[in-house]
Amino acid sequence: MKNDIDAYYPVNGRVILHVDMNAFYCSVHAAEEPDKYRDKPTAVAGSIELRKGIIVTCSYAARRRGISTGMHVNRALKLCPELVIIQPDFDLYRKYSTAFMKIAYGYTPLMQATSIDECYLDITGSRQFGTPQQIAEEIQRRIDEELGLPCSVGIAPNKLLAKMASDMKKPRGISVLRIRDVPRVLWDKPCGELFGIGGKTAEKLRKLGIYTIGQLAETEEETLTKAFGVVGVWMKQAANGIDHSPVLEEREQNKSIGHTTTLPNDIQAREDVNRVLLNISDQVARRLRRKELVAGGVQITIRTPDMKTITRSRTLATPTEDAGEIYEEARRLYAEHWSWDKPVRLLGVTLQHLTPKNESAIQLDLFEYEKQPKKEMLTKTMDMLRNKFGENAVVTAGMLGDDPSVLLRNHKLRGTSLQMDFVSEDGIDLP
């Protein structure tokens, strides 16, 4: 005879939870300092000049006053003068992220963290803890009681619907979304509300006369593949609530990315040291971007001619993938902790506190925010050229110094057809 709980679990199927923290960064600050932040309109914005910054996230009290993510801080303060602006603390966010995922992991080893504030759980084999609803309620309650954080939980037979369900009731909601519920719950919504469909894709669907998820579900597959390729097949399946992707067990991220250079001769001149640090920073930043990570800390390594080694590090206010920012931090660390009259034989740069880029809010001030798309396009172009022609296909003028032959000789750059392209702020100037 079946146990009553068994009736809640499919014989041939899965039960997936999506745990989504509500206004995570602001909620963390409210949990840490409730007297200061709880139930108040707050926003996290990481610019040094906060009035020129961009809001990364805001509390629900702030949202009720018209504040939203991506809004300029000065505009937000006009809408809500009592808005409390908070500088980000990524070490604190990582601490709370680890804590809530540890609670979730206690109910199944099949946990997949997709960002710093959300994860999927496959609880198909977790019936010893109760029904899916009971497990969701217990996880939500424990995160609230033990950490002081609100979360929403979606319950569904696959990841797609679990994600859609967790968005249905915020904050502190628990929602169930079955495949049989899809026509009633989702089909009248715009295509852009289907998880995985962005604004540009939704616009292209509208040009095809497809406005709602229901219309997408009923569109001929051939029409979609003609317009979108294999993605069209996925869109039709998703609109019908079908998703076969598994919950992938969490894999440990790289703890650090570093590179050291043993120099052919001792150096101590400022321009020589800075040139080497710039080259190393560029290399580690490229490896970081290749892994789609950002760094929350920079460490330098210095080795003297008598083989004495020292390291110095600093945590960054905001995670970065930018070689220029990494270089500036490495240069500052060297200037602060080493004397220019002391020679060095080895230099190294190591990036620490690594997180996936899509988990991190890279905060910019207003002016950098406007320049960022152009800057990212330049970086992608440089990476593309290096992928095709080799690491030395693109270098900056700062890497060469006054005499490019000195750099080539000292670092033994080989290749009979080495191409040097000089990069300006506006783009790549090919000869």
Side-chain angles (χ1 to χ4, degrees):
M1 184 175 175
K2 271 191 171 185
N3 184 291
D4 287 344
I5 287 178
D6 290 342
Y8 290 89
Y9 290 86
V11 176
N12 296 308
R14 300 177 296 162
V15 181
I16 309 298
L17 303 186
H18 182 257
V19 180
D20 191 1
M21 307 307 293
N22 302 145
F24 181 58
Y25 294 169
C26 290
S27 297
V28 166
H29 289 289
E32 280 284 298
E33 301 180 83
D35 293 339
K36 193 173 179 181
Y37 299 121
R38 180 154 289 171
D39 299 323
K40 295 181 181 178
T42 62
V44 170
S47 172
I48 295 174
E49 291 189 64
L50 291 175
R51 284 185 171 273
K52 295 179 180 176
I54 306 298
I55 288 176
V56 176
T57 190
C58 55
S59 67
Y60 284 90
R63 295 177 196 190
R64 287 192 290 270
R65 289 165 172 80
I67 312 303
S68 60
T69 300
M71 183 179 288
H72 293 153
V73 171
N74 54 0
R75 183 186 169 205
L77 289 170
K78 288 177 182 177
L79 286 173
C80 181
E82 66 271 31
L83 183 68
V84 181
I85 306 297
I86 308 171
Q87 290 269 10
D89 184 340
F90 291 98
D91 287 333
L92 185 64
Y93 306 150
R94 281 188 284 268
K95 170 187 166 185
Y96 273 84
S97 177
T98 300
F100 94 75
M101 288 190 189
K102 184 177 180 181
I103 291 173
Y105 187 73
Y107 295 85
T108 174
L110 296 176
M111 182 185 81
Q112 179 182 356
T114 54
S115 72
I116 198 170
D117 64 345
E118 60 182 310
C119 64
Y120 291 103
L121 305 172
D122 187 330
I123 60 165
T124 309
S126 302
R127 63 192 68 199
Q128 69 269 28
F129 296 108
T131 68
Q133 181 81 21
Q134 289 169 340
I135 294 173
E137 289 173 353
E138 187 169 332
I139 289 173
Q140 187 184 66
R141 176 186 58 76
R142 287 188 58 195
I143 291 174
D144 190 8
E145 291 179 357
E146 296 175 28
L147 304 176
L149 299 179
C151 70
S152 296
V153 184
I155 307 171
N158 58 54
K159 289 165 64 177
L160 170 71
L161 295 184
K163 169 66 176 175
M164 298 289 291
S166 68
D167 287 335
M168 288 165 59
K169 295 179 184 177
K170 287 187 175 182
R172 303 178 188 276
I174 294 178
S175 303
V176 179
L177 186 56
R178 307 172 183 87
I179 290 180
R180 66 173 181 265
D181 301 326
V182 168
R184 174 179 56 84
V185 176
L186 298 182
W187 276 9
D188 64 341
K189 298 184 183 301
C191 292
E193 292 191 23
L194 182 63
F195 180 65
I197 293 184
K200 290 183 178 179
T201 301
E203 175 60 29
K204 192 171 181 180
L205 286 168
R206 284 193 291 271
K207 290 179 179 178
L208 293 173
I210 304 169
Y211 297 92
T212 66
I213 296 174
Q215 288 175 327
L216 177 60
E218 294 173 347
T219 301
E220 290 291 333
E221 188 174 292
E222 184 180 352
T223 301
L224 294 171
T225 54
K226 185 176 179 180
F228 299 98
V230 293
V231 177
V233 178
W234 170 84
M235 287 195 294
K236 182 175 176 66
Q237 290 181 338
N240 283 283
I242 299 169
D243 173 28
H244 301 297
S245 60
V247 173
L248 302 174
E249 294 181 59
E250 183 72 359
R251 294 181 175 86
E252 186 178 7
Q253 285 286 349
N254 300 58
K255 292 183 178 179
S256 64
I257 290 176
H259 183 75
T260 59
T261 294
T262 301
L263 304 162
N265 303 299
D266 299 342
I267 63 172
Q268 64 190 75
R270 187 187 304 263
E271 59 270 21
D272 292 335
V273 169
N274 287 345
R275 187 159 56 247
V276 175
L277 289 175
L278 177 58
N279 274 272
I280 299 174
S281 298
D282 181 67
Q283 290 183 51
V284 293
R286 176 153 160 69
R287 288 168 56 192
L288 189 74
R289 292 193 297 272
R290 190 180 297 138
K291 294 178 181 291
E292 297 184 349
L293 300 172
V294 291
V298 174
Q299 174 184 286
I300 63 167
T301 301
I302 300 170
R303 185 171 297 161
T304 64
D306 60 1
M307 304 307 289
K308 176 184 176 182
T309 301
I310 70 163
T311 60
R312 294 292 184 270
S313 63
R314 181 178 287 120
T315 300
L316 302 175
T318 304
T320 186
E321 61 175 7
D322 183 74
E325 293 176 12
I326 293 165
Y327 163 67
E328 287 299 325
E329 197 57 54
R331 185 181 61 79
R332 276 194 291 269
L333 283 167
Y334 187 96
E336 290 173 10
H337 298 287
W338 197 251
S339 174
W340 294 111
D341 61 357
K342 295 180 180 179
V344 296
R345 174 55 61 92
L346 173 147
L347 286 170
V349 175
T350 300
L351 306 180
Q352 302 173 323
H353 311 311
L354 307 185
T355 56
K357 184 178 179 180
N358 63 3
E359 293 182 11
S360 301
I362 302 178
Q363 177 63 20
L364 305 162
D365 65 28
L366 173 60
F367 304 107
E368 285 300 315
Y369 179 78
E370 293 169 345
K371 294 178 181 177
Q372 187 66 8
K374 190 175 184 181
K375 185 176 182 181
E376 287 190 353
M377 182 59 68
L378 171 60
T379 301
K380 287 179 181 178
T381 303
M382 291 172 66
D383 287 346
M384 179 188 69
L385 288 172
R386 285 166 164 170
N387 287 339
K388 187 171 182 179
F389 299 111
E391 290 297 318
N392 300 318
V394 181
V395 298
T396 66
M399 295 178 186
L400 296 175
D402 295 332
D403 184 359
S405 65
V406 173
L407 180 71
L408 297 177
R409 183 172 66 251
N410 287 349
H411 293 273
K412 300 178 181 178
L413 302 178
R414 297 183 177 91
T416 56
S417 60
L418 181 63
Q419 177 68 55
M420 293 295 178
D421 299 329
F422 292 87
V423 178
S424 71
E425 289 184 0
D426 294 326
I428 297 178
D429 301 323
L430 296 175

